[in-house]
Amino acid sequence: MSANHDNTRDNRAEYRQDTVMAHEYDGIQEFDNRLPNWWMWIMWGSIVFALGYWLVFHTLSLKPLSVAKFETVMQKAQEEQLARAAAQGVDDNFLVMMSQTASKVTEGRDIFVKHCVACHLDKGQGLVGPNLTDDVWVHGCAPMAMLKTVTEGVPAKGMPAWQNQLGPTRVQAVVAYVMTLKGTNVPGKAPEGQPCQF
Ligand code: HEC
């Protein structure tokens, strides 16, 4: 042991006050010492930082929160992946990938609201056209089968062909959206056709 036993106490003037406060509980007494400077720096620093953070990220939204940043990056990566897949041709896998890409599903939803809800209703539960939310399909539930139905239509039964009005990429997007409806089972028009095999 070193000669100085009282080494554990900081002997600088600002800590050497040791005023005992008037109250006492079960023999426990309390010093009324000044908080150390490093502690005060951290406290005031945290308050200033929090205020700045709150203003920049929440009140004024000058910068995106890291969650939003992460989502943007992920979405971009998904879109790049989709573009690479598109270069290899449109098939079931491509459309499945598209139905998992949020931006494409949103685009498809907008197209659906504009052009399809009149006959299939807002949730796809069916009116003139069949219920798109059940697991039973007239023209097949495989993504490429749906793409064919929407592209070419079923003119004899009242389903228009959409290839000219929407063009191939928008038809793909709306099919991607319809794929997200499949299996949501919204009560509506009674099931028509064959059980889904995809
Ligand atoms: C004018 C009414 C009408 C509009 C608008 C319409 N559909 Fe249809 N749709 C139908 C009818 C009717 C059928 C059923 C055809 C049949 O029984 O052969 C159908 C069938 C379908 C099917 C096949 C369902 C199955 O069970 O196989 C899909 C998918 C579909 N429509 C998607 C769409 C999409 C996407 C749009 C918008 C771009 C759209 N429809 C717009 C009337 C419509």
Side-chain angles (χ1 to χ4, degrees):
M1 278 302 279
S2 82
N4 186 357
H5 285 259
D6 204 20
N7 225 2
T8 47
R9 295 287 308 275
D10 192 323
N11 266 329
R12 273 175 293 171
E14 69 249 46
Y15 302 135
R16 263 192 277 109
Q17 299 156 63
D18 291 2
T19 317
V20 177
M21 292 173 86
H23 54 236
E24 177 195 321
Y25 301 101
D26 294 341
I28 299 169
Q29 288 175 293
E30 191 184 354
F31 284 135
D32 185 16
N33 285 352
R34 190 182 175 285
L35 286 160
N37 282 342
W38 65 263
W39 196 97
M40 297 300 279
W41 273 108
I42 291 175
M43 183 184 77
W44 288 110
S46 307
I47 291 172
V48 169
F49 177 81
L51 207 68
Y53 186 93
W54 180 45
L55 280 173
V56 169
F57 285 97
H58 292 279
T59 312
L60 304 175
S61 296
L62 294 178
K63 279 173 169 281
L65 285 168
S66 25
V67 181
K69 241 175 166 171
F70 173 76
E71 272 163 13
T72 314
V73 170
M74 287 303 284
Q75 193 167 315
K76 220 172 138 226
Q78 262 182 335
E79 279 165 11
E80 280 168 12
Q81 199 182 13
L82 198 65
R84 274 197 298 277
Q88 285 165 21
V90 175
D91 58 9
D92 281 345
N93 284 338
F94 168 77
L95 290 169
V96 168
M97 205 187 270
M98 201 170 191
S99 73
Q100 289 161 354
T101 306
S103 57
K104 295 292 171 191
V105 172
T106 311
E107 185 189 337
R109 166 74 191 163
D110 291 344
I111 298 167
F112 191 83
V113 168
K114 235 190 203 151
H115 300 287
C116 321
V117 293
C119 297
H120 292 282
L121 292 195
D122 185 54
K123 295 195 177 86
Q125 67 270 48
L127 184 68
V128 178
N131 191 331
L132 303 174
T133 70
D134 56 23
D135 283 319
V136 176
W137 292 73
V138 181
H139 298 284
C141 67
M144 287 304 279
M146 275 192 217
L147 189 72
K148 185 172 186 290
T149 312
V150 179
T151 304
E152 300 170 8
V154 191
K157 295 283 182 63
M159 164 70 179
W162 292 97
Q163 58 186 346
N164 292 337
Q165 193 171 343
L166 296 178
T169 49
R170 295 208 296 158
V171 167
Q172 287 158 20
V174 77
V175 166
Y177 173 68
V178 172
M179 286 166 68
T180 67
L181 298 178
K182 189 179 77 175
T184 54
N185 292 312
V186 181
K189 209 171 177 201
E192 298 162 74
Q194 311 299 317
C196 178
Q197 294 295 339
F198 183 74

